Each structure stands twice: as C-alpha cells, then as structure tokens.
Amino acid sequence: MNREIREAVDILRGSRFVVALTGAGISVASGIPDFRSPAGLWRRFDPAVYASIDRFRENPARAWEMLFEMIAAVDAARPNPAHDALAELERRGLLQCCITQNIDGLHGRAGSRNVIEFHGNLDRFVCLACESRYGWRQYAFPAGEAPRCFACGSVLKPSIVFFGETVPGRALLEGRMFASSADAILVIGTGATVFPAAEIPQIAKNSHAKVIEVNTAPTGLTNYITDVFVQCDAAVALPAIAEGLGEE
Ligand SMILES: [Zn+2]
C-alpha cells in the first residue's frame, strides 16, 4: 500500500461521518469518456447547442440526436471497482453518501443507496408540458425522433440538468448538509470546478473535514484544500482504500 493510500485510510479510520463527491473521472473505467475529453460527446456535439435548455425547447429532435448516443453509452457501461468500493463502504457504515455530478446512475447500479445526483439521471424522462415522468427502459422509442409523452403528446426530456437549468433544490440542500456534517470527504474523479459541486469540498473543509482527493492529475483543489492527494485511477485507489479499512 502506498503512502497516500495509507494516509487516506488513517484519516477515514478516525472519521465518523464520511461523504464522497464524484465526477466524470470515476466513470471513465466504466467506458464512459468524460464528455469534455477528446473522445467525449462535446467534441462532436457543441454543448452550447445540444445541452442548452433553450436550444432543446427550440429543436428537441436535434438535442435527441446527442441524447440517444449518451443513453447508448450509459446503457453499455457497468459499475467499475471504484463504484463497487464506495457501495461496499456504505454497506459497512463507513460512508454516509455519494454526491455525484454524473448522470450515469452507476452508483445506484453498484448498490449505493444514498446518492445525491446534482445533475439528475438519464434513467428518467419528464414531460416539459404536463410533468409526467417515465422510466426510459419501459418506454418504446420511435427511432430517431424525440420521444413524446403518452399523456399529452409533448416532447420528453431526460431528467438531467441542462445548461440554463438549475440544480434541483433538494439535491443542493442535501449535498450542503452532508458536506457540512462531514469530518472527511473523498473527492473522486473531479476537480469540482462547476457549481454546485465546486462548493462541496469547501463547505466540508470549513467544517474541519479532511479532504482526500483521488484524481489521475492534480486539479485546482490539490494545492488549495486537499490534505491527501492520491494520484491514481479511482478504480485502483478505491478498492485499495476499502481493503485497507478492512485490515486491523
Ligand atoms: Zn405530458
């Protein structure tokens, strides 16, 4: 076990309330490229056009071209050992919740129960007109068209947060509450540069939490509020941390 993993384990052993904040980096090993990366969707689909709520309302069929690809990528993905380790830590009572910026639902599929999704989840659709909700797996898509509401015929949108939309208030409140209660926070696969994720490590730090960062490269947090920087793929680091916590 390397020194940083050992330090992380020591901090977590001494903590009573631990939360995790996760971002795109945790799902890369599941086969979902960071949308901003060279292989990511935003290289082909300008998010200002395809992921903006105003542009969606103007032309839902265009946004759905990108969304069908996003759904296919998420559906093909499986939780990786990092998701599994976090679910295991929660089961063992060593982790209180995962706050995530990801829309892939992989924490839930790995077995995590307390997941706060800042940007929603691709598994559910909402009707913009009548607010009817649907699970997409039960829904038969007309190929290549924007899916429509069975109740009113209006176009459906995945219940993910588009640019120009606000993060659900409840997720925001819960995220802040958990962060302010934490005495350790694991920041995994994200530099937490985008609001509201950006405030979560800071809220935890202000409440005297230790910040353990797991990223493959330094971020804006690393020399700023991180106490222990584990420079490693999350799919390797998290199982090692979980194993370390199981040792006497
Ligand atoms: Zn409707």
Side-chain angles (χ1 to χ4, degrees):
M1 198 187 304
N2 77 23
R3 185 170 58 86
E4 287 78 18
I5 299 266
R6 170 59 66 193
E7 286 175 7
V9 167
D10 287 345
I11 288 171
L12 294 171
R13 276 214 176 114
S15 302
R16 285 167 299 119
F17 198 100
V18 179
V19 303
L21 173 70
T22 67
I26 195 172
S27 292
V28 170
S30 291
I32 301 178
D34 186 338
F35 298 144
R36 293 185 189 83
S37 75
L41 281 179
W42 296 159
R43 289 297 164 115
R44 286 185 297 121
F45 298 101
D46 178 358
V49 174
Y50 286 88
S52 137
I53 189 61
D54 292 336
R55 301 290 89 73
F56 181 90
R57 287 179 193 276
E58 270 170 30
N59 189 344
R62 179 179 56 194
W64 271 101
E65 284 176 37
M66 179 272 293
L67 290 167
F68 281 124
E69 279 205 34
M70 199 183 256
I71 287 168
V74 164
D75 201 33
R78 295 289 174 269
N80 69 58
H83 298 102
D84 293 340
L86 291 173
E88 183 196 326
L89 291 177
E90 186 186 315
R91 273 194 300 275
R92 287 160 59 188
L94 302 173
L95 179 72
Q96 308 308 314
C97 81
C98 291
I99 303 167
T100 189
Q101 302 169 84
N102 298 338
I103 56 171
D104 53 39
L106 290 176
H107 286 301
R109 284 163 66 187
S112 288
R113 301 176 73 98
N114 197 5
V115 183
I116 299 169
E117 294 173 319
F118 272 169
H119 298 156
N121 189 312
L122 215 43
D123 267 357
R124 298 178 296 275
F125 291 167
V126 61
C127 172
L128 290 177
C130 74
E131 299 187 357
S132 291
R133 290 179 180 273
Y134 300 89
W136 78 268
R137 279 164 219 282
Q138 300 99 275
Y139 193 85
F141 283 122
E145 290 172 35
R148 292 191 174 269
C149 177
F150 289 130
C152 77
S154 296
V155 74
L156 298 178
K157 175 189 155 298
S159 59
I160 56 176
V161 177
F162 276 49
F163 294 107
E165 290 187 297
T166 54
V167 168
R170 185 176 162 185
L172 202 53
L173 279 174
E174 287 182 347
R176 286 173 178 158
M177 188 188 76
F178 276 97
S180 64
S181 305
D183 42 20
I185 182 166
L186 287 154
V187 179
I188 305 161
T190 178
T193 51
V194 181
F195 179 84
E199 66 175 25
I200 294 299
Q202 190 65 62
I203 288 172
K205 187 80 173 185
N206 291 351
S207 307
H208 310 293
K210 295 284 188 190
V211 178
I212 300 164
E213 181 185 350
V214 180
N215 274 314
T216 53
T219 69
L221 301 173
T222 310
N223 293 317
Y224 173 50
I225 63 169
T226 295
D227 293 291
V228 176
F229 178 46
V230 181
Q231 186 166 1
C232 184
D233 191 307
V236 175
L238 269 296
I241 290 171
E243 190 183 343
L245 281 167
E247 292 168 0
E248 289 307 315

